[in-house]
Every structure is written in C-alpha cells, then in structure tokens.
Amino acid sequence: MNESIKKDTGRLIRPVLLAAALIFFVVRAIQMVTEVSTQLALPAATLYLLDFNFYIGSRTFIGSILTLLTPHITYQQIFIMNISVYAVTILSFFALGLYTVKRAVRENNDFLFMVAILFIVCPYSLLQYANWVGTYDIYLCLFAVLCAFLSASEKMHWLCPVLCVMAVFTHYAFVFSYFPAVLAVQVYCIITSEKKKGRIVSAAITLVSSFVSAVYCGFFANSTIKMSRDELYAYMEKRLGTQVENKPYIDSYYFDEDVMGMLGGFKDSIINSEFIKNFVLFFLPVMLFFAALWCYYTIKNKKNQMIPGFFFLLTTAVSIALIFLIIEAPRWQTAAILSEFLILFVMIKKNDTTLTGCFGKLNRLPINIFMLIFIVYNMVASFVIKPFFS
C-alpha cells in the first residue's frame, strides 16, 4: 500500500518539478542573455573575424567557416548565430539527459530524477553560458556533447578525432576544459563494449590528433601570422562594417610580447574573496558529489572496469585544479560540472548497473528531501553569482 502511494505521489510531483525547473531555466537564461550577453555582441563579434587570412591556428576555425560563407557580416548576424548554437547545445545536452529522466520515472527513482533536475538549474551549468553567448565556450561544449553521442555509437565513434581537432582549432582550451571528459567516455566505452579494437584505434587517434593540434595551436600557430596590427583591424572593420572593439584582448594574444605577464596579472584579479565564496558554496558541493559517485563506482566494480572509474576521478581532480591555474575561473567551473554530467548521462544511457545500483540505494525519502532543498539552493545561487563579464 505504501509503495503504491509512493508511486502515485511521484507521478504527480515529478512532472510539476520538471516543468518548474524548465520554466526557471528558460526565464533565467533569457534574462541573462538580455542583460549581459547582448552587451557583448559587438566586442565578441570580433572574435569570429579571426580567420585563415590572419593566421592558421586556434581561434580561427569558426571565423574561417564564416569567411568562406560570406566576405561581409554584421555583428548582429554573428550574435544570432551564437544564440542558435547555444540553443542547439541546450537541446543536445537535454536530449542526452532525457534518457536519465525516463529511466528515473520508469524505475520510480526520485533521487536519479533529482540529479537530472539539478543539471537543469545548477548555476555552473548550461545556464551559466547564457552570460557569455558571444565567446567560444558554447562551441566547445557542443563539440564535447557530440563526441559523447558518437563515442557511445558502434560506428560513428570514428568521427570523434575530427570533431576534437575542430574544437581545438576553435579554441585550444578544449584540451583542458572538455577533452578529459571526452577521453574518459571513450575509455568507458572501450571497457564496456564487446568490439574493442576499433574503439581503441579511434580513441588513440583522437588522443594523438588532439594533442598534436593543441601543441601546434599553443606554441607554433602565431608564427603563421600574416598581418600587422593595423592591417588586421582594417580587414576586420571592412568585414564588419563598423569599428573593431575588444582590441586589448586581440593585442594581448597576438601583438603583445609579454602575454604571460598579462595573463598573470589578470589571474591575480580573478582569485579573490568573491571567487572563493562561489567556489566553496556553489561549485565544490556538486563536484564532491561526483567525486563520491566515481569513488563508489571504482571500488564496487571489477578490476577491468576500475579503469574508467580512475579516469572519472582524474577528470574531476584535473577540473578542480585547473580552476586555480588558469584565468577566467567561472568558465572553467562551468566546463568542469558539465563534463561530469556528460559522463553521468552517457553511463546511464549505457545502462551501467553499478551506477544505477548506487542510485537505487540513494533513493530514500530523507536523501530526496535533501536533494530537493539542494536544488532550490542552486536556483537561488544563480541570482547570487555575479555574471563574469558584467
């Protein structure tokens, strides 16, 4: 009788909770795009005017595609394009997470359902990207999601190396922000699949091609610069039809000899009391949850399946460490949490029994109540955390 009441209650509450989370996400995302991202439209547009005419390297892939499509483009068109990519990324990630929601409903697992809701409302998740639609980050996230989709496929995993190289040439930060998660998913798919040889080869090609691309983009691409500073800005103004903004950013990376000094000073201004507060209160609790989950997965699994568990833990550790080593911490925090959800959703889709068994044990009323409170806590946090580019 109690089990029947529990199921009936779940059937009533879950749709309401899911609808509330989705409404919150849409309203908050629109608000953040309107208040912050629209103000970045013009300066961010200059990022996509860097193409093969200037140099061949990181930050040129998307701009080169635009150049091949049209010689003249307005910053409004670039902003619309970025908004569209953001929407596609949201839908792609949600499609990957939808299986988790369906499974939670089918198995009457409220805890698993709460985790899926947490992904929707978490401030350092897709919601955070609404604050900087104009930057490269959302493209890197989309490439990572597509790689996760393809890695789980029996035949399409061969496209992962191509996507990773495209991501690196969009911005070599991909190798730090999302590639660890992509590699962890590939290792997991190798261990859990029957046909391993092809997956091992494609994963090896992905690793080598991504590493070589990152080394080239990070250390050798600038030697291919074809324009002086004045020539570059004249070229960009002609294409955009208006003045070029964001010049300090471009100068610092391409025309300033003391790049490392500039980055060091910028980093010092980022690691402050506000960052520490947000890191401890809003970022760390979610990452600790995943760290505990991967520890459980590693301990409870057979020897061969402990390998992906080690990679999951390594991804978590690297993500946390990078936040203190690389500038623009909120961007890395968002990539870190999205990477963990990416791994989780792939494992649920692959029907990992160890993981689902763990969620089954956690599906208890006190824990579910705590998770509901934690979800509300994260919704409030999205208003507390100040936009990075405001």
Side-chain angles (χ1 to χ4, degrees), residues 51-52 55-61 168-170 216-217 221-222 224:
D51 58 20
F52 57 84
Y55 87 130
I56 302 172
S58 182
R59 304 179 178 91
T60 61
F61 179 73
V168 172
F169 274 81
T170 298
Y216 168 77
C217 288
N222 277 18
T224 68

Side-chain angles (χ1 to χ4, degrees), residues 8-52:
D8 291 339
T9 304
R11 289 194 190 99
L12 293 172
I13 294 176
R14 290 190 205 109
V16 174
L17 186 58
L18 180 60
L22 290 173
I23 292 171
F24 170 81
F25 179 91
V26 172
V27 172
R28 187 72 178 118
I30 291 174
Q31 180 187 7
M32 292 162 78
V33 169
T34 304
E35 293 179 356
V36 184
S37 289
T38 51
Q39 309 305 314
L40 300 172
L42 180 54
T46 58
L47 302 177
Y48 300 93
L49 298 175
L50 297 174
D51 58 20
F52 57 84

Side-chain angles (χ1 to χ4, degrees), residues 166-205:
M166 290 166 62
V168 172
F169 274 81
T170 298
H171 198 304
Y172 63 77
F174 179 80
V175 297
F176 305 110
S177 57
Y178 285 109
F179 183 74
V182 171
L183 181 61
V185 168
Q186 287 184 316
V187 171
Y188 173 75
C189 290
I190 290 171
I191 298 297
T192 56
S193 298
E194 294 181 2
K195 298 179 181 179
K196 302 182 186 297
K197 290 183 179 180
R199 290 184 177 278
I200 292 173
V201 173
S202 67
I205 294 173

Side-chain angles (χ1 to χ4, degrees), residues 139-150:
Y139 289 88
L140 305 187
C141 183
L142 179 58
F143 280 124
V145 177
L146 293 176
C147 283
F149 269 118
L150 296 176

Side-chain angles (χ1 to χ4, degrees), residues 47-335:
L47 302 177
Y48 300 93
L49 298 175
L50 297 174
D51 58 20
F52 57 84
N53 290 303
F54 172 53
Y55 87 130
I56 302 172
S58 182
R59 304 179 178 91
T60 61
F61 179 73
I62 305 298
S64 296
I65 297 298
L66 286 173
T67 299
L68 293 172
L69 293 174
T70 176
H72 303 287
I73 190 167
T74 66
Y75 73 88
Q76 292 95 337
Q77 289 171 324
I78 295 176
F79 186 70
I80 291 171
M81 179 190 72
N82 291 334
I83 285 285
S84 300
V85 172
Y86 179 48
V88 170
T89 306
I90 290 170
L91 293 174
S92 300
F93 227 132
F94 278 15
L96 192 60
L98 183 62
Y99 186 86
T100 302
V101 174
K102 288 181 177 179
R103 187 179 186 109
V105 172
R106 186 172 66 248
E107 297 181 358
N108 196 39
N109 191 319
D110 291 327
F111 182 81
L112 183 58
F113 187 83
M114 295 289 186
V115 172
I117 297 298
L118 177 64
F119 164 73
I120 299 173
V121 304
C122 183
Y124 289 120
S125 185
L126 285 174
L127 193 61
Q128 183 69 203
Y129 279 151
N131 275 326
W132 53 74
V133 167
T135 64
Y136 300 109
D137 302 71
I138 198 62
Y139 289 88
L140 305 187
C141 183
L142 179 58
F143 280 124
V145 177
L146 293 176
C147 283
F149 269 118
L150 296 176
S151 295
S153 170
E154 291 296 329
K155 296 180 180 179
M156 300 298 286
H157 60 86
W158 291 104
L159 290 175
C160 282
V162 178
L163 287 177
C164 284
V165 171
M166 290 166 62
V168 172
F169 274 81
T170 298
H171 198 304
Y172 63 77
F174 179 80
V175 297
F176 305 110
S177 57
Y178 285 109
F179 183 74
V182 171
L183 181 61
V185 168
Q186 287 184 316
V187 171
Y188 173 75
C189 290
I190 290 171
I191 298 297
T192 56
S193 298
E194 294 181 2
K195 298 179 181 179
K196 302 182 186 297
K197 290 183 179 180
R199 290 184 177 278
I200 292 173
V201 173
S202 67
I205 294 173
T206 301
L207 178 61
V208 172
S209 60
S210 299
F211 176 77
V212 171
S213 299
V215 171
Y216 168 77
C217 288
F219 297 99
F220 301 105
N222 277 18
S223 63
T224 68
I225 290 177
K226 306 170 186 177
M227 299 179 184
S228 67
R229 182 181 185 275
D230 292 339
E231 288 172 333
L232 173 64
Y233 292 139
Y235 169 74
M236 295 169 77
E237 285 180 7
K238 183 178 179 181
R239 288 201 65 206
L240 197 60
T242 185
Q243 64 178 355
V244 174
E245 295 194 16
N246 211 20
K247 287 183 180 180
Y249 172 87
I250 298 171
D251 287 345
S252 64
Y253 280 101
Y254 302 107
F255 302 109
D256 187 350
E257 295 182 358
D258 188 26
V259 176
M260 297 309 296
M262 180 276 298
L263 294 177
F266 190 34
K267 177 183 174 182
D268 291 340
S269 67
I270 294 296
I271 306 299
N272 51 36
S273 59
E274 183 73 13
F275 160 76
I276 297 296
K277 179 193 75 174
N278 292 339
F279 177 86
V280 173
L281 295 180
F282 308 130
F283 170 78
L284 203 55
V286 180
M287 292 299 285
L288 289 176
F289 163 73
F290 280 108
L293 192 63
W294 304 146
C295 283
Y296 176 90
Y297 180 85
T298 305
I299 294 169
K300 292 294 182 180
N301 252 315
K302 301 174 184 177
K303 285 186 177 180
N304 64 330
Q305 285 190 288
M306 290 174 66
I307 297 173
F310 170 76
F311 273 88
F312 299 158
L313 281 168
L314 187 62
T315 300
T316 307
V318 168
S319 296
I320 294 175
L322 282 173
I323 292 164
F324 292 92
L325 298 175
I326 303 178
I327 61 173
E328 300 176 340
R331 301 167 77 167
W332 297 97
Q333 288 171 307
T334 303

